[in-house]
Amino acid sequence: MSEKYSVEVCRELEGRFRAANLHRPMRIGHYDAGTELTYDVTGFRDEEPVKVSLIVEKFVGGGFAGQVYRVKIAAIEGEIEGVEVGGTYAIKILIPPTTFSRLFRNLLYWIGFQGPFQQQVNPAAARAGSLWQKFIRRAAKIRFGDEAAVVDIYGTFTDAGLGSCGELREWVEGRTWLLEVDDRLDLLKKWRRGRTTEQQPVGSPEYRAKYKFMKEFVALLHDLGAYEFARQYEWSTCKSQPNALKRYGNDDDPAGGLVAVDFRAGLALLPFLPMSPGDFKLIIKGLGRGSLVQFDRGSITKLESFTAAHADMFADMDRMLRELKTAEAVYRDSVPDITHNHIKLLYSRKLWSTTFDSAVNGWRVRNLVDEHHEWKFRNSKVLTFLFFIVGLIPLLGKPIRLMWGRTDWRKHYGAMLGSWDYFKRSVQARIGEKVTVWHRSGRLGDQRALRVATSTPRFMGHLPLSILPAGLHRMLTDFEYARERISYYTVRPVRLYFDAKMREQWLRDMISEGQKKHMLSDEDAETIRSQIGEPFIQKYLKSLAVHVCTLPVTQIVSVAIALIYYLTHRDQPNAWAIGLGIIGLFQVVPISPGSLVRGLYVLYLVIKERNFKDYNIAVFLGFFKYVGYLAFPIQMTYHYPALARFMAGHWATEAVHIVPVFGERGALLEHWVYCLFYNRPLTIRRRMRRRAEARKLIKPRYWHAGLCIFGTAAIFGLADYVYLVNFDNLPILRDIWWLVILAPLACGAALTLGCGGAALGKRIAAAAVCGALAGMLYAALSATTGYSGTISDAANNGRAIGRNETVSPERAAPTTTTVNDNKAPEISSLIPDPNSFHVSRDTAIQLHITDGGSGVEYDGGAVTIRVEGDVVYDGANETSPGGYDSVSTYPEQSVKGICTRTGSEADYTFVFSPASPFGYGQKVDVAVNATDRAGNIMPEEHYYFHTVNSSIVASCVWRMFIFAILSAIGAIITEIKLPENWMIERKSVEK
């Protein structure tokens, strides 16, 4: 839902609907700020409902479980414990704000329990969940010493406008978690496994406090018997972390103010559809309890045992426990639920009676029936069953139900059929409803929404586009908006680079947004604002503008290359798929065109200012995709920690929030990405610095470099030998791709491990040199056998024969017959193989033409062979018996040579030896025509093969390059993975 829609426009559209004076009510899917609502709220100390009037202050958000609003109590006609007039509270209405979320949620629930989503439509189900929460809150006082560790809930109600049950509860002013700077992620990992001591300086205190709180809270829920409620706080689901907030005012204590705020699951957990890593474990545990489908089931027996063991703490909750038992019994019998009720469905009259009554309750809550028809259905199970069956009719089910169960809707449809004026008013009102939804989602601007709502042709023009994403829909229909967005992504980055004041305002706006999203404290925000004028910050802002300018570079280049490939290879199968693969490849490669431009800019700054110290980290990280955006935040961590942490959090997590469910703010994915791109480099830098200090006391050594070079070359030589023995051919690099990756990586790792006190840069350089020399040595070994492939050669290596090689395949002597010969000749035993790659440039071309009937007629022009369109054999014009010399016959041809014919008319063997080699990487086309003596004509056969792509020199250079890069990477990875005390321990051993 768009945050920038106009409440005034929505109210004007609602006013137009009311002015249409229809018999039916307006469809409502969302409440705007300022909306006044009145509910009959049932508290927990008194069973009698109390009328509560409230005003919506803000739509907080929504998901599969429902939609949450912050509200202010305007009036109370009675008393509800904990609720006061003028107080700020939260309401959660248990229906999702979007159609897709509602349909997906209801589908999963129906599969699991064979009924509608009970939390929405069944007051008993909503009541049971709220009562469970009251017991959990009291138990939190036992475990954590304070009931405030669980959000309080004050009552339940039914919302007639949205057609759903809801709950009134405490409003918590809090946040998820701070993205903390931590250069000791290795210790954090050990802490998670319980392998650290109190003396070790483990970082990320808020992260650890929340992890411990949620772990203990899950244990508490299991002790209570609230097994399936615990799913909301299982850390391993990777999406439960936002369910525990930290109250404001507790920043000094990492563990202070933590509160569990959400106990309403949105999606049923089906055994065949785990939706998070932790769901696998939950499914297995559920099966152990006999719960095949999980949602919000708990054990009343275990809850009673817990309350009995702490009777003094639960002494005032006896009536709630009795109410919970009653509500649970009604709730669990309200749907068939075959995985729990089993054969009970075959004999229990009470179960089916409750199911029918609850179905009527649900229809009433959802506004499908009015009070009169509710009474009729309660007194007739036949009518109830028929009403249920009608609801199963696709598309028409709901309109038929409304006409049957609601007097106002029946009048509405009747008036539409009987009055043209009413029909027009109803259509215009329906358009207004739809436009309201479009405006809230950001599809239409303020004035355009009002115009579309009054024009049926305009509405029909927008309707087909409503299936598109909201932003794209608006781009295609709103010129001013499209121009603004295009300018934002193209002109604005350039202006940011040249306009210092605009850059400063840009940072100020980001700071304000960071405060609004609670990514920045007020103190940190003021610190950053006071530093904006400093020279290094100005350099950073300018570099940030360059980063923004490079954002589209990779996408433009990847799409352009993919398009060029498709247009030049349109005749090849799957050309479009390869084009998409090219685009995808650009997204995952570590260095992309955009990151290359960014890295070169940082390098330009180093050279221009002759200042390596201030850019010693950014100059390397800037070249890498994704992490390069954090190059400058990492660079200035120690000088400007507040700004560095904020910018890292902003850049590292902004893209994460577009990921559905798992990308929610405060979820584990957000923290993981932040640590990966910010804290992980800091951890690596700290470990490398410590090792560098230790290495200063050890002499560097490189004597083992020769062993690494010859060892790596020997491994590849062994691979060549194995291929020669088993396949009678040398492998191309793609055949042994895994070895091409692993061997140089191992070479680089071995070299850096043995370099003693050498500096990091020298270790990486030495590894690259070793890799290059190993590649050169391997190329020399391959060259001795005449091989010159490259890593880009395809895997299907065609068999090739030399020009002077004698080919005499052992074939059984075929025979011919002239009886009823109606079969044309065939070609076989093609060398090189059709569609093969990496064929030697001087290969001979061999093929067999066979005919088991009357025999092949080679003369009289019956057999011709063309290579690249040039005739290399013409049976009617053999220059010598069994031979054809195209060199003398057609000297002007580009392809010419000697072609020989051997064998018999049942099986002729043709071998063409070209006078000069084919080109590098040439696609050689071969065409063959043949006729037998009975006059059967073989359709022209076409096939082709590819020659090698490079010379031995190019192959050697390519291998040196690949091996050097991979060896350097191996050294870098080894340095990253080594524990920080590895060098210190080794030094002590050497002493």
Side-chain angles (χ1 to χ4, degrees):
M1 186 168 296
S2 174
E3 296 181 355
K4 298 181 180 179
Y5 75 91
S6 169
V7 174
E8 289 72 20
V9 169
C10 293
R11 287 176 179 166
E12 182 170 344
L13 292 173
E14 291 172 6
R16 292 181 182 181
F17 181 92
R18 289 191 295 270
N21 197 26
L22 302 183
H23 296 301
R24 71 169 179 87
M26 184 177 183
R27 293 181 176 94
I28 299 174
H30 173 82
Y31 292 126
D32 298 315
T35 303
E36 298 182 13
L37 301 171
T38 301
Y39 296 122
D40 291 328
V41 180
T42 303
F44 297 99
R45 294 298 178 186
D46 191 345
E47 295 183 359
E48 292 299 319
V50 174
K51 195 172 292 296
V52 177
S53 298
L54 48 85
I55 300 174
V56 174
E57 292 186 335
K58 179 184 178 182
F59 170 68
V60 179
F64 293 111
Q67 44 192 296
V68 180
Y69 298 87
R70 185 180 69 194
V71 300
K72 187 174 183 179
I73 303 298
I76 305 176
E77 296 181 8
E79 184 178 344
I80 298 178
E81 185 179 22
V83 180
E84 298 178 354
V85 175
T88 299
Y89 300 87
I91 60 171
K92 184 166 188 175
I93 304 173
L94 304 175
I95 181 172
T98 65
T99 302
F100 170 78
S101 297
R102 185 177 72 254
L103 293 177
F104 184 68
R105 179 199 71 172
N106 292 350
L107 174 63
L108 293 188
Y109 195 90
W110 187 276
I111 294 173
F113 300 100
Q114 304 81 56
F117 190 80
Q118 291 297 292
Q119 297 284 350
Q120 175 190 338
V121 305
N122 191 341
R127 190 71 177 171
S130 300
L131 288 165
W132 268 108
Q133 186 171 336
K134 295 295 284 188
F135 281 95
I136 293 169
R137 176 176 166 85
R138 183 62 58 86
K141 185 175 183 180
I142 300 171
R143 182 63 55 89
F144 301 104
D146 189 356
E147 281 186 330
V150 173
V151 68
D152 202 0
I153 187 167
Y154 304 115
T156 57
F157 57 85
T158 298
D159 187 295
L162 296 177
S164 171
C165 297
E167 60 189 26
L168 176 64
R169 64 187 192 184
E170 174 189 4
W171 171 256
V172 175
E173 287 286 353
R175 55 175 172 80
T176 52
W177 53 19
L178 285 179
L179 296 174
E180 302 162 292
V181 176
D182 186 359
D183 62 357
R184 295 182 177 272
L185 289 186
D186 45 358
L187 288 181
L188 183 63
K189 185 177 181 181
K190 289 182 179 180
W191 177 85
R192 286 281 307 273
R193 298 175 178 176
R195 297 179 182 176
T196 56
T197 62
E198 293 183 0
Q199 290 74 29
Q200 290 179 301
V202 185
S204 302
E206 274 204 15
Y207 172 89
R208 291 187 291 115
K210 176 174 279 194
Y211 177 84
K212 185 178 179 181
F213 172 78
M214 291 178 65
K215 184 177 181 180
E216 292 179 357
F217 191 63
V218 168
L220 172 63
L221 293 174
H222 280 270
D223 292 342
L224 278 170
Y227 305 111
E228 295 179 16
F229 288 90
R231 179 162 65 108
Q232 291 291 92
Y233 296 92
E234 286 283 355
W235 191 270
S236 58
T237 63
C238 303
K239 54 187 178 182
S240 60
Q241 290 73 25
N243 295 336
L245 297 180
K246 185 177 180 66
R247 297 178 189 269
Y248 290 144
N250 293 275
D251 292 343
D252 295 337
D253 181 7
L258 289 172
V259 52
V261 298
D262 193 359
F263 296 87
R264 299 290 186 177
L267 300 177
L269 179 57
L270 305 178
F272 55 84
L273 190 62
M275 289 174 284
S276 75
D279 285 350
F280 293 94
K281 177 185 70 174
L282 295 177
I283 289 171
I284 294 173
K285 287 186 175 181
L287 293 175
R289 298 192 305 269
S291 188
L292 188 63
V293 179
Q294 300 180 55
F295 186 65
D296 64 350
R297 185 178 292 269
S299 171
I300 296 294
T301 302
K302 196 161 186 179
L303 175 62
E304 288 180 313
S305 299
F306 188 92
T307 56
H310 304 84
D312 55 330
M313 295 295 298
F314 294 93
D316 59 338
M317 300 183 72
D318 288 342
R319 191 190 66 79
M320 289 188 197
L321 184 58
R322 291 193 300 272
E323 185 184 1
L324 175 59
K325 290 179 181 180
T326 302
E328 276 281 327
V330 174
Y331 173 23
R332 302 306 168 187
D333 286 348
S334 295
V335 286
D337 191 7
I338 59 176
T339 64
H340 289 97
N341 289 324
H342 307 304
I343 61 173
K344 189 179 177 182
L345 292 166
L346 302 177
Y347 64 84
S348 177
R349 295 173 61 89
K350 179 183 177 183
L351 169 62
W352 283 110
S353 177
T354 304
T355 301
F356 273 71
D357 285 344
S358 296
V360 177
N361 281 338
W363 296 333
R364 179 65 171 149
V365 169
R366 291 160 61 193
N367 295 316
L368 292 176
V369 298
D370 54 24
E371 186 176 355
H372 172 69
H373 287 85
E374 177 189 4
W375 177 84
K376 291 180 66 175
F377 288 135
R378 290 194 186 281
N379 289 277
S380 175
K381 288 185 170 53
V382 174
L383 290 178
T384 302
F385 182 72
L386 289 176
F387 196 79
F388 167 77
I389 294 298
V390 167
L392 300 179
I393 301 174
L395 300 179
L396 297 177
K398 187 173 182 179
I400 295 175
R401 275 181 160 186
L402 289 172
M403 285 189 290
W404 183 353
R406 291 276 299 267
T407 303
D408 52 354
W409 276 90
R410 192 160 51 250
K411 288 182 179 179
H412 170 70
Y413 285 124
M416 286 182 66
L417 296 175
S419 170
W420 174 247
D421 177 66
Y422 187 90
F423 178 83
K424 289 191 296 182
R425 284 188 283 124
S426 63
V427 170
Q428 204 63 45
R430 181 68 186 113
I431 290 175
E433 287 178 323
K434 193 66 176 176
V435 168
T436 304
V437 175
W438 287 351
H439 178 57
R440 285 193 179 118
S441 64
R443 295 178 178 274
L444 299 174
D446 298 354
Q447 297 305 314
R448 188 172 295 271
L450 295 175
R451 290 196 298 269
V452 171
T454 57
S455 172
T456 302
R458 285 179 176 173
F459 173 80
M460 296 306 295
H462 281 268
L463 188 61
L465 300 177
S466 63
I467 63 173
L468 299 175
L472 181 58
H473 179 178
R474 190 168 180 182
M475 285 274 288
L476 295 174
T477 58
D478 190 333
F479 174 76
E480 289 299 324
Y481 176 81
R483 188 179 67 174
E484 176 188 335
R485 300 313 297 170
I486 293 173
S487 174
Y488 182 86
Y489 290 112
T490 57
V491 178
R492 178 173 167 272
V494 178
R495 291 182 60 196
L496 282 172
Y497 182 80
F498 292 102
D499 191 335
K501 291 184 178 180
M502 186 177 181
R503 290 195 300 269
E504 290 183 12
Q505 186 59 44
W506 180 35
L507 179 58
R508 294 181 190 277
D509 291 342
M510 283 193 287
I511 293 171
S512 299
E513 186 178 357
Q515 286 181 279
K516 182 180 178 182
K517 295 179 178 178
H518 310 300
M519 294 177 66
L520 267 177
S521 66
D522 293 340
E523 182 181 354
D524 285 345
E526 289 305 316
T527 300
I528 296 172
R529 289 190 181 101
S530 67
Q531 297 170 337
I532 289 180
E534 297 187 17
F536 189 82
I537 300 297
Q538 291 295 320
K539 289 182 186 178
Y540 168 68
L541 290 175
K542 199 167 186 179
S543 299
L544 202 58
V546 173
H547 293 350
V548 174
C549 290
T550 63
L551 283 173
V553 171
T554 298
Q555 315 308 326
I556 294 172
V557 172
S558 62
V559 171
I561 293 177
L563 187 61
I564 291 171
Y565 177 87
Y566 175 76
L567 294 176
T568 55
H569 297 78
R570 197 180 306 176
D571 57 330
Q572 293 187 5
N574 299 324
W576 63 271
I578 296 175
L580 292 177
I582 291 173
I583 296 175
L585 182 63
F586 271 95
Q587 311 311 311
V588 298
V589 292
I591 298 177
S592 63
S595 67
L596 190 62
V597 173
R598 181 175 59 243
L600 290 174
Y601 172 76
V602 181
L603 185 61
Y604 158 75
L605 291 179
V606 172
I607 297 172
K608 177 186 176 183
E609 300 177 13
R610 297 182 180 180
N611 180 4
F612 179 76
K613 182 180 178 180
D614 287 344
Y615 302 99
N616 59 354
I617 296 174
V619 74
F620 293 111
L621 290 183
F623 283 98
F624 290 92
K625 191 177 180 69
Y626 302 124
V627 71
Y629 293 111
L630 302 181
F632 273 91
I634 294 171
Q635 180 75 60
M636 60 186 182
T637 298
Y638 294 107
H639 295 292
Y640 305 96
L643 179 60
R645 182 178 65 249
F646 168 62
M647 295 309 300
H650 176 80
W651 285 99
T653 62
E654 202 63 30
V656 172
H657 298 150
I658 66 173
V659 179
V661 183
F662 296 101
E664 184 179 355
R665 188 174 300 279
L668 193 60
L669 181 62
E670 178 188 65
H671 189 272
W672 181 82
V673 170
Y674 176 80
C675 286
L676 176 66
F677 291 112
Y678 188 68
N679 284 339
R680 177 63 61 186
L682 291 180
T683 301
I684 293 169
R685 181 171 72 168
R686 177 185 58 79
R687 289 161 60 176
M688 287 185 172
R689 282 182 172 178
R690 188 174 180 190
R691 280 202 303 272
E693 290 297 322
R695 282 171 176 164
K696 290 180 180 179
L697 304 177
I698 304 175
K699 291 183 179 180
R701 55 172 176 262
Y702 303 100
W703 62 265
H704 62 300
L707 296 178
C708 294
I709 295 169
F710 286 103
T712 304
I715 291 173
F716 283 100
L718 180 61
D720 285 359
Y721 174 77
V722 171
Y723 262 74
L724 280 173
V725 171
N726 292 280
F727 305 106
D728 196 28
N729 192 16
L730 288 173
I732 60 173
L733 295 189
R734 186 169 177 178
D735 290 335
I736 52 173
W737 61 268
W738 52 274
L739 189 61
V740 171
I741 296 174
L742 294 179
L745 288 176
C747 174
L751 188 115
T752 191
L753 288 174
C755 277
L760 177 62
K762 292 183 178 180
R763 289 168 180 266
I764 297 173
V769 171
C770 281
L773 293 176
M776 183 174 66
L777 184 56
Y778 177 40
L781 289 173
S782 298
T784 60
T785 58
Y787 176 75
S788 60
T790 71
I791 198 171
S792 61
D793 296 327
N796 295 324
N797 181 23
R799 295 176 294 121
I801 55 178
R803 280 180 286 175
N804 301 319
E805 185 178 349
T806 301
V807 181
S808 56
E810 297 180 1
R811 298 170 60 94
T815 60
T816 61
T817 176
T818 57
V819 179
N820 297 325
D821 181 11
N822 55 8
K823 186 178 180 181
E826 298 177 344
I827 65 171
S828 61
S829 302
L830 306 177
I831 301 178
D833 293 332
N835 305 330
S836 59
F837 292 80
H838 186 60
V839 177
S840 175
R841 294 173 58 221
D842 60 353
T843 182
I845 299 174
Q846 174 184 298
L847 57 90
H848 287 255
I849 302 179
T850 60
D851 187 84
S854 58
V856 179
E857 182 179 9
Y858 71 86
D859 54 354
V863 174
T864 59
I865 301 175
R866 291 180 174 82
V867 177
E868 291 291 270
D870 294 332
V871 177
V872 298
Y873 179 82
D874 183 356
N877 299 294
E878 285 191 347
T879 56
S880 61
Y884 184 84
D885 181 5
S886 54
V887 176
S888 58
T889 308
Y890 297 106
E892 72 280 0
Q893 290 186 170
S894 59
V895 179
K896 48 187 176 289
I898 305 296
C899 186
T900 61
R901 171 179 56 82
T902 58
S904 66
E905 60 188 8
D907 183 356
Y908 281 123
T909 301
F910 297 88
V911 179
F912 169 65
S913 300
S916 58
F918 296 109
Y920 287 113
Q922 183 177 352
K923 178 181 177 182
V924 181
D925 182 76
V926 182
V928 183
N929 295 89
T931 306
D932 65 13
R933 296 190 177 279
N936 298 308
I937 301 174
M938 178 188 75
E940 185 173 75
E941 293 281 355
H942 272 274
Y943 70 95
Y944 60 87
F945 58 87
H946 296 266
T947 59
V948 294
N949 287 332
S950 66
S951 66
I952 184 62
V953 175
S955 176
C956 179
V957 172
W958 181 249
R959 292 186 192 193
M960 290 176 65
F961 174 75
I962 292 296
F963 285 23
I965 293 295
L966 290 174
S967 294
I969 291 174
I972 294 172
I973 292 174
T974 303
E975 290 293 326
I976 289 174
K977 291 296 184 181
L978 280 178
E980 66 178 271
N981 58 350
W982 180 84
M983 200 64 223
I984 300 171
E985 293 174 353
R986 184 176 176 192
K987 184 178 70 173
S988 63
V989 170
E990 290 179 354
K991 288 183 177 180

